[in-house]
Structure formats: C-alpha cells, structure tokens
Amino acid sequence: MTFTVAVVGRPNVGKSTLFNRLVGRRLAIVDDTPGVTRDRREGEARLGPLRFTVIDTAGLTEADPDSLEGRMQAQTDRAAEAADVTLLVIDGRAGVTPVDQHFADVLRRLAAPVIAVVNKCEGRGGDDGFFGAYALGLGDPVAISAEHGQGMAELYEALAAHAPEAAIEDAAPRDERPLQLAIIGRPNVGKSTLLNRLIGDERSVTGPEPGITRDPIAVEWSYKDRPVRLVDTAGLRRRARIDVKLEQLSASETLRVIRHAEVVVLVLDALVGLERQDLNIARHVVEEGRALVVAANKWDLVKDDRAMRKRIQARLGESLTQVRGMPLVTFSALTGHGVNTLMPKLFEIYDLWNKRVSTGRLNRWLREVVGEHPPPMVEGRRLKIRYVTQVKARPPTFAVFVSKPDALPDSYCRYLTNRLRDAFGFDAVPIRLLLRAGKNPYADRARKRR
C-alpha cells in the first residue's frame, strides 16, 4: 500500500528543500528565485521508520487557468487531491500571509488531512509564523528547518498519525541515531585531549600551545552501542581579542557547530575556574536552545576541590538563572580519571532536552499553579492564563495563551518556568515560554466533539 504526501505552499517557502530532505538527496532544484518548480516531482521518501511517496509541487498562486501559472496550479491541485496527506508549507520568518490563509481554506475542504508545516524556524526567527499558523485552523502546526534538518522528529509524529501500518517499518530505536555532541571552550582547556580520551585514539593534535585546533574535527564514535558524532572545535576567545582572520573563521565555524549540536560540553580549566568568557559561551549555547553540560578539566591538579566545585556551581547559579541546576562534571582528560562520568550525564541531559509533557497534564498543572499564585491585576482586571501546551521539544518549548501577553510581568514568567521545572523535572535544560494572545486554540475542536 502506497502512502502519498503532497508538499504545497506559496512560492519560495522551502517546498523543494523539504522534498530533498525527505528523499535524502538533491532531486529538486533549489534557488531563491520564486517559481523554480513547475511540474509535479515524485520521490521515495524516508522519515524515521516511515516510508512514503512525496510529491513536490509548484507554488500556490491564483492565475488564469490558461496561463502557465494556471496550468502549474492545476498540477498542484491534482497532487493535493490525490495525496493521503498534504503538507502546507509556510515561511516562518515571513509569517502567515493572506495567501497562506486563502489556500488553507481551500485545502481544508479536501477529504485528506492537511498539516501546517512552518519552515525556516531555526533559532527563534520563525516563532511569529509558527504561532500565526494556529489561526489557519489546521490543528497543531509543525515547526521545522528543512535546510538544517530540524523538526523532522515532530514532522514524523504528525505524519505517522495518518499513515497505514504498512508504511511504517520496524524502526531502530530513537537512541540509535547519532547524538550530535560538540566540545567547546576557551583555548588550551583540554578539548582535544578530552576527545582523544573518549574515543581511545589520538585523533586530534594536542599540545601546550593554545589554538592548535582550527577546523572543527568530527568523529563518528559509539558509546555502549549508542552512536555519537563528536565534534572538537577551536577555542573561543573574547571577540575583542580576535584580530587574525583565520581565528575569526575558526570562531565562526565553532558557533556554527553549536547551532547544529544537540548537546554541548563546555570544557573549563579547573585551575582557573569559571571565567567571564566561559559564561559568555554558556549563555550563547543556552540562547541557541542546546542542552549544556559544564565539564571542569585538570581536576586532578586542584588542591581544594570542594571549594572550587562550590565556587563554580555558585557562579553558574548566579549567572545562568535561565537554566537552573546546570550539571558540573569533573575529570582529568590527560589521566582519564573521572572521564567515565561524562557520557552518562550527557545522555541524561539529552533525554530531558527531548522530553514532552501531554497537554492534559500541563493544563492540570496550570490550574494548580495559577490557583496558588494568580497573575497580577492590570488596569483593574486580573490577567487570565487560559491555556498551555508544549509546542516542541529540543528544547522544551511551551505556548501560554494569555489575555494580555505584553502585560504579564517577567517575574510571573519566571514563576511559571520554575514551577514547570519542579513539576516535570526540567532542571538543567533551557525552557522557552512563549506568550500568545487569543483563546484556547482547541476550544472549537472540543465543542465539535460534543
């Protein structure tokens, strides 16, 4: 039985990029020029254990049926009508346009389900488009970055809900996909030594001279039968101290590695402690939404280890208030002492970073915490928090629907974030709390069920 998925949307929203991502190779031409794709293009796609036929289509436009654009539109219409599921792709950075809304209304009349896919959501640039997609009336949108491969797990879950059993193979467990692990830090703290110690081979050049590593060094490795892709990076110095073009390029590559990592190990020199530059790097990792573990190297040379541990943890708590309970792992990469504690902690944080909480549990939690500490009054009326849902993991991201989002103070947002951590065990990973106006997006659906 063939399971068919059509990819439709306005011109230049990333349909062909998503098509290439799903088929695993560059079959469709991708360019910034709108209207590159004119005909339907089919390919055999794979997304986790899901196997299906994906159809790339021309951009949705309104045109005279006899014109070239009109004939292209007819091909797109036929693809959507024949598909088992249609993906309406939206440009998250541009937001939901009237054209998107128009074609969502058209597609909603089809018998097959339609999923709103918000592309270009790397970083946080697509947040407005993502939340605007709720207004399309197509259910929960899926945030992805087709170019960078982000959000594919969420897209799989959305498609698998409509796929026949025959389209889903016996899948490899999720933890058999390589963990994307980046090792970062200031120059000469022992990043390359740590990589060599973990894999048991002199893969990276090491030495007392700072700045030996220039290009990111990626190594495919396995820890207790779990594949890991380790990336050693160039040391990051303060921007004011970078005056050589080659070092600037190395620093840019390191920042790129952070954006594509899942878990980041920030290596410190335990003899120096936690410096301002270390904190700047840690803040950048957290702002990118990556899971972070702080690792103090050269711990065997520390005279008063208890005092040093207390000092580092206190400074982490004071300076990284947005991530409570940041783990600290101590070891000596040179001797290997304590290195065996690092990987279990990394996988523990990785699992938290991927954690999801059901909407029902979240809203029962919301009633409890709002009852204990209601939101403040604004202009004589109390703010109402109507609904909360987790819109994505990696990192855990929650949409909170509030009567007046701009009026909810930061202190109350911190209260909600800390209570989320307490209730669902989200210590040590970044949490994103996104405030949005509007009614409960599921209220109409609930009324229809009655």
Side-chain angles (χ1 to χ4, degrees):
M1 179 179 182
T2 302
F3 181 56
T4 305
V5 177
V7 180
V8 305
R10 291 188 295 110
N12 215 34
V13 294
K15 300 184 298 297
S16 294
T17 305
L18 176 58
F19 175 85
N20 288 341
R21 172 70 60 181
L22 293 173
V23 300
R25 52 201 174 106
R26 193 183 176 91
L27 288 182
I29 298 173
V30 177
D31 190 79
D32 291 337
T33 305
V36 172
T37 302
R38 290 182 171 176
D39 296 298
R40 283 186 288 173
R41 179 180 288 102
E42 295 188 5
E44 294 306 311
R46 173 174 182 165
L47 192 57
L50 183 62
R51 304 293 179 270
F52 55 97
T53 299
V54 61
I55 306 173
D56 187 23
T57 65
L60 291 166
T61 56
E62 290 188 293
D64 187 315
D66 295 328
S67 67
L68 173 61
E69 290 79 9
R71 296 195 299 274
M72 291 160 55
Q73 177 64 43
Q75 288 286 332
T76 298
D77 292 343
R78 283 197 287 271
E81 290 169 1
D84 296 299
V85 176
T86 299
L87 303 181
L88 175 60
V89 183
I90 297 157
D91 185 335
R93 296 184 181 274
V96 176
T97 68
V99 177
D100 295 321
Q101 183 68 65
H102 169 73
F103 286 110
D105 294 340
V106 172
L107 293 170
R108 204 164 43 236
R109 301 188 191 108
L110 299 176
V114 181
I115 299 170
V117 176
V118 186
N119 192 25
K120 307 181 185 179
C121 283
E122 60 271 16
R124 303 189 67 173
D127 282 354
D128 288 340
F130 176 78
F131 285 98
Y134 276 98
L136 297 175
L138 300 175
D140 292 340
V142 179
I144 70 165
S145 170
E147 183 176 357
H148 298 101
Q150 297 175 7
M152 294 299 109
E154 289 77 9
L155 181 57
Y156 162 75
E157 291 175 2
L159 285 172
H162 304 290
E165 291 184 7
I168 301 177
E169 297 180 352
D170 291 334
R174 177 179 182 169
D175 59 8
E176 287 192 7
R177 297 181 309 196
L179 169 69
Q180 304 294 322
L181 174 61
I183 302 174
I184 66 169
R186 290 181 291 106
N188 213 33
V189 294
K191 300 183 296 298
S192 298
T193 306
L194 174 60
L195 181 140
N196 291 341
R197 174 63 62 180
L198 287 171
I199 67 175
D201 187 22
E202 295 296 316
R203 178 64 178 79
S204 289
V205 179
T206 62
E209 304 87 356
I212 291 177
T213 302
R214 288 178 171 174
D215 293 317
I217 305 298
V219 178
E220 303 296 332
W221 178 57
S222 178
Y223 174 79
K224 293 187 176 179
D225 297 327
R226 294 189 69 172
V228 179
R229 187 172 187 267
L230 279 168
V231 184
D232 183 21
T233 61
L236 287 171
R237 294 199 297 166
R238 284 188 303 179
R239 190 173 299 176
R241 293 186 177 180
I242 300 177
D243 53 7
V244 180
K245 183 177 181 181
L246 183 59
E247 189 174 356
Q248 292 174 350
L249 293 173
S250 296
S252 297
E253 280 297 295
T254 298
L255 296 177
R256 182 188 64 80
V257 169
I258 292 172
R259 285 195 298 272
H260 290 85
E262 295 173 324
V263 182
V264 175
V265 179
L266 172 59
V267 182
L268 314 177
D269 185 334
L271 296 174
V272 177
L274 194 65
E275 293 195 331
R276 180 180 296 178
Q277 176 62 0
D278 297 316
L279 289 171
N280 289 337
I281 297 171
R283 289 192 192 97
H284 179 77
V285 173
V286 171
E287 287 169 1
E288 287 288 341
R290 306 302 94 183
L292 175 65
V293 173
V294 178
N297 188 25
K298 309 179 187 178
W299 198 253
D300 55 324
L301 303 178
V302 176
K303 293 182 179 178
D304 190 345
D305 57 352
R306 182 175 297 180
M308 178 59 76
R309 179 184 289 274
K310 188 175 180 180
R311 195 170 97 193
I312 293 174
Q313 288 179 326
R315 194 156 186 210
L316 283 171
E318 293 167 1
S319 303
L320 291 174
T321 54
Q322 65 270 49
V323 181
R324 191 182 71 185
M326 181 67 66
L328 173 64
V329 180
T330 60
F331 55 79
S332 169
L334 187 62
T335 67
H337 181 71
V339 172
N340 61 337
T341 63
L342 178 61
M343 292 306 299
K345 179 57 68 175
L346 291 177
F347 279 109
E348 178 184 329
I349 297 302
Y350 174 72
D351 290 339
L352 279 178
W353 188 64
N354 280 282
K355 185 174 181 178
R356 284 186 172 273
V357 182
S358 70
T359 299
R361 290 182 65 197
L362 282 171
N363 283 281
R364 287 192 293 272
W365 163 85
L366 181 65
R367 287 193 294 271
E368 179 181 336
V369 297
V370 169
E372 292 177 5
H373 180 34
M377 304 277 285
V378 174
E379 298 177 351
R381 301 184 66 179
R382 189 170 299 281
L383 293 174
K384 292 183 180 179
I385 302 180
R386 297 189 170 99
Y387 189 76
V388 61
T389 185
Q390 184 173 359
V391 294
K392 64 186 288 287
R394 307 162 64 87
T397 303
F398 302 88
V400 182
F401 293 84
V402 188
S403 55
K404 293 184 178 180
D406 295 339
L408 193 69
D410 291 341
S411 59
Y412 199 84
C413 292
R414 288 193 296 271
Y415 165 72
L416 292 176
T417 300
N418 289 332
R419 292 301 300 269
L420 272 170
R421 294 189 188 281
D422 293 338
F424 303 110
F426 280 115
D427 272 351
V429 294
I431 286 180
R432 289 176 176 171
L433 208 64
L434 306 174
L435 305 181
R436 289 296 181 270
K439 62 182 181 179
N440 177 347
Y442 295 92
D444 292 340
R445 188 184 301 176
R447 280 195 288 271
K448 286 178 183 177
R449 289 198 195 103
R450 294 174 195 160

